[in-house]
Amino acid sequence: MSVTDIQLQENTAHDDHHDDHHEQSFIEKYIFSTDHKTIAKQFLITGIFWAIIGGAFSVIFRLQLGFPDMTLEWLKPILGKWIDEGGKLDQEFYLALVTMHGTIMVFFVLTAGLSGTFSNFLIPLQIGARDMASGFMNMLSYWFFFLSSVIMFISLFLETGPAAGGWTIYPPLSALPQAIQGSAGGMTLWLVSMVFFIASTLLGGINYITTVINMRTEGMSFSRLPLTIWAFFITAVIGLLSFPVLFSAALLLVFDRSLGTSFYLSEIFIGGEALPNIGGSPILYQHLFWFLGHPEVYIVLLPALGITSEIISTNSRKPIFGYRAMIGSMLAIAFLSFIVWAHHMFVSGLNPFLGSIFMFLTLIIAVPSAVKAFNYITTLWKGNIVFTPAMLFSIGLVSFFISGGVTGIFLGNSALDINLHDTYFVVAHFHLVMGSASFFGLLAGVYHWFPKMFGRMMDEKLGYIHFWVTFVGVYLVFFPLHYIGIAGFPRRYYAFTNFDAFSAFTDLNTFVSVAAILTFGAQFIFIFNFFYSMFRGRKAPANPWRSNTLEWTTPRNPGHGNWPGAIPKVYRWPYDYSKPGAEEDFIPQHIPLSQTPESNLEEENELAKTEEVRESKNVEDSH
Amino acid sequence: MFNLIIVVAIVLILAIGYTIFRVTTLVGIAKGDTQKRVTGANKVQAALCVVFLVAGLFGFFYYSFGGLDDSFIQPIASEHGVETDKWFWITMGVTCFVFILTQILLFGFSFKYQYKEGNQAKFYPHNDKLEIVWTAIPAVVLAILVISGWKIWVDITGPAPEESEVIEVYGYQYAFAFRYPGADKQLGDYDYRKIDPINNNQVGIDYSDKAALDDFMGRELHVPKGKPVHLKIRARDVIHSVYQPNFRLQMNAVPGLPTRFWFVPTKTTAEMRAETGNPDFNYELVCNKICGKAHFSMKAIIVVDEPEDYEKWYNEQEALLKQNPGLMAQVPDNLREVAIISADLENNDSNQGVANSESENSSL
């Protein structure tokens, strides 16, 4: 029954597509587009824009940390009064830079840039759908994100500066402009911007979930979904359940800031006067924030892991090892991600008993993460590995995921966290496991799906150079931070000169800064490659990576509606690589089992007997 | 002029880079690389994986064992610190083993199973036994680490021993204040509305509580060696964090939510100076929660004394009330007599001042 419905829908969509194909104006096609592929590109390019800003911010504060005596006079044309007469970076602006670097990277680059790009681009293409369930909501999702971006961007230019209380914006610091300038207008714009951002994420998430559940093509059961789609699906569910909590946290903060309520404020004496607020709790904010904040880690990480699963399998020419275990571990991670949040708060004044509980829950989450890492490594074992730039970035991701993941075992242990909390050890940990790993997932995805996005290939050699400089660079930046962290250096410090205990490591800090600048510089190789290849790259073949998933059955430049003819039917899982007996080392999902008797497994031969092969002439043509 | 040269140089470098890029692209096309499924570059990448692995592991070991000038471990000076450090290094051993093993496998496999013409990958979709094994092993190892960590955590966060020295640590932008209970060994009440920077009542001591009358403030945090010290932690304006790396001690100071931390210091400042060979060594109390512009300079000195030196120092301190007679205005009438005795005000030259400031206050 449902199959017929979908068929009908497809046919209408198909007809529509031919009708209005040539009537789309420039604005409809490229700006207010409802096509998931265009929206994905919009997210990607906005994400790249933000990544440059976020990265540049980190370079500026690394200059301060690595070269504390350097004059930054030459930055005056850009930063203006934030460089004081002595040529030094303003101390408060340093905090603003740190705050905005975190906010931009976590939300605007790794949430919107990653999920927004690849969930939008790949979900319809890989499940065999014409578009998202609601193209209009999808468009709104991008434009809410755009609005949120504009507001956040404006906040950078305020006289009192952007928000400066850390990306976690803990009150009372974020609630009181008397405590820090950035909590004046900058914080207001931060909160407004985040409200639109959350709306954007929810609109996107609802769409991703609905599309995956309802619009899979015939034969595409959940057990045949590519792991990318599983990852995007689970990510969207996590986002849908956790972002509203951030919204409530932000709303209560708005009330405290503007309406005189006392949700987070209590017994504060500041600026020579005792504030009237009594009875609130700053810890309440931390609970609400981290109820999003921890799942957020997986919101940025899971899509990257999904992308990696697909790329590693394709380029090892092997099925992903433990497909079901991969799904199981993602589900476990998704569930556990909601009940570990208080491990960010072991020394916040939390009841130690709660600390104990959250320590146990936190270390459980390491198990499914370990399983994923082992599965990636086993997928490489006895493969026939083709090192495309996407593959290298995926291998790099796994390397970061392990290096950053193991340090989580220290931090999740509340007894050890006492001494490590808020030191550079934490900075090293999350920049590797969540920052760099997800960022590599994003880059891997761009290199891998660029041919489908723009119909052209990116330059491989530039990709290799970009990978090695970035990969080595990231390790040189973040690995030394572990040592600095074990020595107890606190994060978010403008300088370490005031403490004898932190007088060491000046050379190491300089080294880290140089590595950070080089790594940032290397990203311009990518940016050149990206925009150059978009227009001048080699034309992409239909299936450049010899991959199994459905997106490679579309034309080189798929139009609105993705497939010119009927949507292909799916007969097998997406990982039939190097199947014994098969002629080629891959069998795409739309090839019926009955056409491949030579490579079928026993149970597949049984299935092949009852299989109803749909005439799909168009698909063959376009393939 | 200099700037112009820099700009010209950058433009030239970019132009050269672009030319090289175009040339290699064209050479690649001429060689027919674009037609090949896998080019020679594949071998280079595989080799680089091994180079990276070897160089990375070498750097890691070299740096961790001796390549580093500075010792990056802060010498421990508390009882629980010995325990947490022990488990820190056990965890380090376990994780480094896993880290090195998995990185070797990751890059080793990448190299070994690089593409070779005519090779076929092994179709190996799953192995339930293997997956159960590597789910179970991390689970067991983690369980051991968690349970031992949990035991330490329960000890550290458990109630402070009866005989503890109770001291209040108070964080505000951008300093710490320390309040001692005085002769009665009882910290008096506090109320943030009683904070009075002019009369030096930084922490909002509530003088309607009798126990508060003899409380005194320390410029530095003095603690006795070998005795449990119970820090009662509060904050005035925003969240701060009371962090001391040598004691492996950290607890946030939260406005409106008193927190606490207790520990046993095991080395006096003098002993630490001898141990580190640094005659200027001081235990530094660090603010470790972003608290505003001067967060990075918010600190205090902790002095660990021999118990008898500590007693001596303790008894020499003057009550805040004695140092700041203006505060007498906050003492209710029925406690004035007691205040004069417990704050030792009778041998104070500034008794006159008390009366004065009282009249000033009343005139206000």
Side-chain angles (χ1 to χ4, degrees):
Chain A
M1 184 62 204
S2 62
V3 172
T4 2
D5 284 349
I6 291 170
Q7 281 295 99
L8 281 172
Q9 237 177 12
E10 271 169 15
N11 289 332
T12 31
H14 179 195
D15 293 340
D16 287 350
H17 156 72
H18 271 286
D19 289 343
D20 56 55
H21 186 256
H22 298 288
E23 290 164 23
Q24 275 189 328
S25 65
F26 179 83
I27 288 179
E28 269 177 4
K29 197 167 175 200
Y30 292 108
I31 299 175
F32 294 107
S33 169
T34 55
D35 183 347
H36 70 101
K37 298 183 291 297
T38 307
I39 294 170
K41 291 173 201 169
Q42 290 173 328
F43 269 109
L44 179 59
I45 289 175
T46 319
I48 290 175
F49 168 79
W50 276 119
I52 296 171
I53 294 185
F57 281 3
S58 72
V59 166
I60 299 173
F61 64 69
R62 268 325 307 183
L63 281 176
Q64 162 62 28
L65 288 169
F67 307 93
D69 302 324
M70 185 183 193
T71 165
L72 296 174
E73 200 68 47
W74 53 279
L75 279 171
K76 215 155 188 169
I78 308 170
L79 297 184
K81 67 157 175 142
W82 299 117
I83 305 288
D84 67 17
E85 286 87 49
K88 305 290 294 173
L89 189 67
D90 183 80
Q91 291 156 7
E92 204 167 299
F93 192 65
Y94 172 87
L95 296 178
L97 286 173
V98 175
T99 304
M100 294 316 289
H101 168 76
T103 305
I104 289 169
M105 290 305 198
V106 170
F107 293 113
F108 289 63
V109 179
L110 294 176
T111 304
L114 184 58
S115 270
T117 304
F118 290 103
S119 295
N120 266 316
F121 191 74
L122 291 179
I123 288 177
L125 282 171
Q126 288 199 334
I127 66 170
R130 298 268 178 220
D131 204 323
M132 283 288 177
S134 166
F136 180 71
M137 264 168 73
N138 211 18
M139 179 184 85
L140 276 186
S141 161
Y142 174 74
W143 287 103
F144 271 118
F145 170 55
F146 186 83
L147 183 60
S148 149
S149 293
V150 170
I151 295 170
M152 194 64 90
F153 192 71
I154 289 171
S155 85
L156 302 177
F157 299 95
L158 293 187
E159 195 187 350
T160 47
W167 79 278
T168 54
I169 59 157
Y170 280 5
L173 186 61
S174 60
L176 305 171
Q178 306 96 302
I180 191 166
Q181 270 188 66
S183 293
M187 194 65 233
T188 307
L189 290 188
W190 194 99
L191 289 165
V192 173
S193 166
M194 283 315 292
V195 166
F196 286 112
F197 184 86
I198 293 166
S200 151
T201 311
L202 297 182
L203 285 168
I206 292 168
N207 240 329
Y208 306 149
I209 294 169
T210 320
T211 311
V212 172
I213 293 178
N214 290 322
M215 300 182 64
R216 283 164 290 125
T217 183
E218 212 184 330
M220 182 64 94
S221 60
F222 268 92
S223 59
R224 284 176 183 167
L225 275 186
L227 285 173
T228 35
I229 303 302
W230 267 106
F232 299 146
F233 177 65
I234 294 171
T235 304
V237 174
I238 300 177
L240 209 56
L241 294 176
S242 62
F243 266 108
V245 181
L246 178 67
F247 184 82
S248 67
L251 201 62
L252 298 187
L253 186 54
V254 169
F255 290 166
D256 272 9
R257 286 167 53 82
S258 312
L259 304 179
T261 55
S262 312
F263 290 106
Y264 307 133
L265 306 178
S266 184
E267 301 181 36
I268 291 166
F269 183 95
I270 192 163
E273 60 165 345
L275 302 186
N277 313 66
I278 281 193
S281 167
I283 307 291
L284 169 65
Y285 172 83
Q286 297 178 22
H287 277 296
L288 293 175
F289 180 84
W290 288 113
F291 191 85
L292 158 91
H294 199 77
E296 172 67 19
V297 170
Y298 296 97
I299 290 173
V300 308
L301 193 57
L302 283 180
L305 291 175
I307 288 169
T308 296
S309 307
E310 178 66 26
I311 294 174
I312 285 194
S313 171
T314 304
N315 290 295
S316 301
R317 315 308 299 162
K318 270 188 69 187
I320 189 83
F321 183 78
Y323 174 76
R324 276 162 198 278
M326 288 300 233
I327 297 169
S329 52
M330 278 197 279
L331 289 171
I333 288 174
F335 173 71
L336 289 168
S337 75
F338 281 101
I339 48 173
V340 298
W341 77 88
H343 67 218
H344 297 268
M345 302 164 57
F346 285 142
V347 298
S348 66
L350 185 77
N351 184 332
F353 174 69
L354 269 183
S356 307
I357 305 226
F358 277 96
M359 163 166 57
F360 282 105
L361 292 168
T362 298
L363 292 176
I364 297 174
I365 209 170
V367 175
S369 309
V371 169
K372 288 193 84 75
F374 294 142
N375 283 2
Y376 287 130
I377 292 172
T378 315
T379 306
L380 295 174
W381 179 70
K382 294 206 168 178
N384 199 21
I385 301 169
V386 182
F387 292 103
T388 62
M391 179 64 171
L392 287 169
F393 276 102
S394 299
I395 293 173
L397 181 154
V398 177
S399 178
F400 292 151
F401 184 56
I402 296 169
S403 317
V406 290
T407 49
I409 297 170
F410 296 80
L411 297 167
N413 186 330
S414 54
L416 305 186
D417 184 61
I418 294 172
N419 193 48
L420 295 171
H421 186 82
D422 269 344
T423 65
Y424 268 85
F425 195 84
V426 179
V427 177
H429 163 70
F430 73 77
H431 273 96
L432 281 175
V433 77
M434 140 178 183
S436 304
S438 308
F439 186 61
F440 267 41
L442 175 65
L443 289 171
V446 173
Y447 277 106
H448 194 78
W449 280 287
F450 190 89
K452 194 79 271 165
M453 285 182 181
F454 300 103
R456 291 174 184 274
M457 306 294 284
M458 285 181 85
D459 187 79
E460 286 212 331
K461 289 206 174 62
L462 288 181
Y464 292 144
I465 297 170
H466 175 219
F467 168 74
W468 285 107
V469 178
T470 311
F471 183 54
V472 174
V474 166
Y475 264 125
L476 292 183
V477 172
F478 296 117
F479 212 86
L481 297 187
H482 291 105
Y483 299 89
I484 299 179
I486 293 170
F489 282 49
R491 63 194 282 210
R492 294 165 175 162
Y493 262 35
Y494 174 78
F496 294 101
T497 42
N498 290 298
F499 292 87
D500 287 337
F502 308 132
S503 57
F505 288 130
T506 45
D507 294 351
L508 196 60
N509 261 320
T510 310
F511 177 84
V512 168
S513 294
V514 172
I517 293 164
L518 289 178
T519 312
F520 178 66
Q523 304 319 304
F524 289 94
I525 301 175
F526 167 77
I527 288 166
F528 167 75
N529 197 355
F530 183 83
F531 287 104
Y532 179 85
S533 305
M534 201 187 284
F535 303 104
R536 307 271 315 262
R538 187 161 57 85
K539 283 196 174 169
N543 189 356
W545 321 118
R546 300 157 64 81
S547 186
N548 284 345
T549 37
L550 284 183
E551 72 272 28
W552 306 106
T553 63
T554 59
R556 188 171 78 93
N557 279 316
H560 208 164
N562 296 337
W563 285 269
I567 296 177
K569 186 178 168 183
V570 164
Y571 300 93
R572 59 180 74 232
W573 76 327
Y575 298 109
D576 268 346
Y577 290 106
S578 300
K579 218 173 179 190
E583 225 173 281
E584 292 274 7
D585 62 358
F586 70 117
I587 311 173
Q589 282 190 283
H590 68 280
I591 306 293
L593 290 169
S594 49
Q595 284 179 18
T596 57
E598 69 282 1
S599 65
N600 284 353
L601 307 172
E602 263 175 51
E603 66 270 21
E604 285 173 341
N605 272 327
E606 289 302 309
L607 275 176
K609 284 177 197 157
T610 55
E611 190 175 73
E612 282 178 44
V613 178
R614 195 209 304 158
E615 286 296 319
S616 50
K617 196 166 165 295
N618 285 320
V619 176
E620 290 305 315
D621 288 347
S622 67
H623 185 52
Chain B
M1 190 59 202
F2 186 64
N3 287 345
L4 187 70
I5 293 173
I6 292 178
V7 170
V8 171
I10 291 173
V11 170
L12 277 177
I13 290 169
L14 289 178
I16 292 169
Y18 181 74
T19 319
I20 294 174
F21 164 69
R22 287 299 298 158
V23 169
T24 49
T25 310
L26 292 173
V27 169
I29 292 169
K31 272 167 52 185
D33 277 355
T34 50
Q35 305 303 318
K36 284 188 219 153
R37 188 173 151 205
V38 173
T39 64
N42 210 57
K43 269 191 184 143
V44 178
Q45 307 310 313
L48 283 174
C49 282
V50 174
V51 172
F52 172 80
L53 177 69
V54 173
L57 286 178
F58 173 79
F60 172 52
F61 279 105
Y62 172 77
Y63 203 67
S64 301
F65 299 99
L68 199 61
D69 299 337
D70 315 296
S71 165
F72 54 87
I73 302 145
Q74 303 272 5
I76 315 174
S78 71
E79 272 181 7
H80 75 267
V82 176
E83 277 299 298
T84 54
D85 258 42
K86 184 178 105 192
W87 282 96
F88 176 84
W89 291 109
I90 291 172
T91 311
M92 184 66 89
V94 173
T95 51
C96 277
F97 173 75
V98 176
F99 165 69
I100 292 168
L101 181 74
T102 46
Q103 299 285 355
I104 288 175
L105 292 178
L106 180 66
F107 290 103
F109 286 168
S110 296
F111 175 76
K112 187 162 181 220
Y113 300 109
Q114 62 181 286
Y115 178 87
K116 289 189 190 80
E117 190 71 50
N119 261 15
Q120 199 190 11
K122 185 179 166 69
F123 187 81
Y124 192 61
H126 66 100
N127 178 334
D128 295 344
K129 214 185 267 172
L130 204 55
E131 287 174 63
I132 290 167
V133 169
W134 68 42
T135 310
I137 291 178
V140 171
V141 174
L142 285 168
I144 295 170
L145 292 176
V146 172
I147 289 169
S148 47
W150 175 69
K151 281 186 184 151
I152 305 171
W153 171 251
V154 169
D155 286 344
I156 296 173
T157 57
E162 284 287 319
E163 72 277 16
S164 304
E165 282 296 317
V166 178
I167 306 164
E168 184 177 74
V169 178
Y170 189 76
Y172 60 98
Q173 286 178 327
Y174 298 97
F176 291 103
F178 308 106
R179 177 162 68 123
Y180 288 79
D184 65 354
K185 295 279 175 187
Q186 288 231 331
L187 280 171
D189 276 350
Y190 55 82
D191 181 339
Y192 80 108
R193 282 164 294 210
K194 300 267 158 76
I195 293 172
D196 181 359
I198 299 162
N199 285 309
N200 231 354
N201 187 0
Q202 295 286 3
V203 303
I205 301 174
D206 181 357
Y207 281 108
S208 60
D209 180 15
K210 207 169 120 188
L213 298 173
D214 60 348
D215 289 1
F216 67 86
M217 306 294 295
R219 228 165 46 81
E220 295 164 335
L221 176 61
H222 278 260
V223 292
K225 174 187 151 186
K227 279 188 76 178
V229 175
H230 183 178
L231 303 180
K232 294 195 157 183
I233 303 168
R234 294 195 295 123
R236 179 198 284 179
D237 32 37
V238 299
I239 302 176
H240 303 275
S241 185
V242 175
Y243 175 48
Q244 211 299 322
N246 298 105
F247 299 141
R248 311 292 192 258
L249 173 164
Q250 179 161 213
M251 182 50 70
N252 285 1
V254 187
L257 183 94
T259 56
R260 64 188 188 89
F261 198 100
W262 75 271
F263 70 109
V264 182
T266 54
K267 292 170 190 166
T268 64
T269 301
E271 283 169 347
M272 207 60 167
R273 285 180 179 165
E275 185 187 317
T276 56
N278 173 9
D280 301 322
F281 175 87
N282 272 318
Y283 291 109
E284 288 165 321
L285 188 62
V286 183
C287 177
N288 196 16
K289 183 62 80 188
I290 181 170
C291 65
K293 191 178 174 93
H295 169 52
F296 72 103
S297 58
M298 177 168 165
K299 75 164 180 179
I301 300 292
I302 303 179
V303 182
V304 183
D305 296 310
E306 292 291 349
E308 51 280 12
D309 295 339
Y310 174 76
E311 285 304 319
K312 188 161 165 272
W313 171 86
Y314 193 97
N315 294 326
E316 281 168 4
Q317 301 305 306
E318 289 183 338
L320 185 68
L321 203 52
K322 185 172 180 183
Q323 290 175 333
N324 297 280
L327 289 172
M328 270 309 263
Q330 292 188 9
V331 180
D333 291 341
N334 60 340
L335 285 178
R336 297 238 164 149
E337 297 276 312
V338 193
I340 290 172
I341 299 163
S342 55
D344 193 25
L345 282 169
E346 55 213 9
N347 348 318
N348 199 332
D349 309 333
S350 51
N351 259 349
Q352 197 57 37
V354 175
N356 283 348
S357 68
E358 254 180 86
S359 55
E360 271 168 35
N361 276 338
S362 52
S363 67
L364 283 172

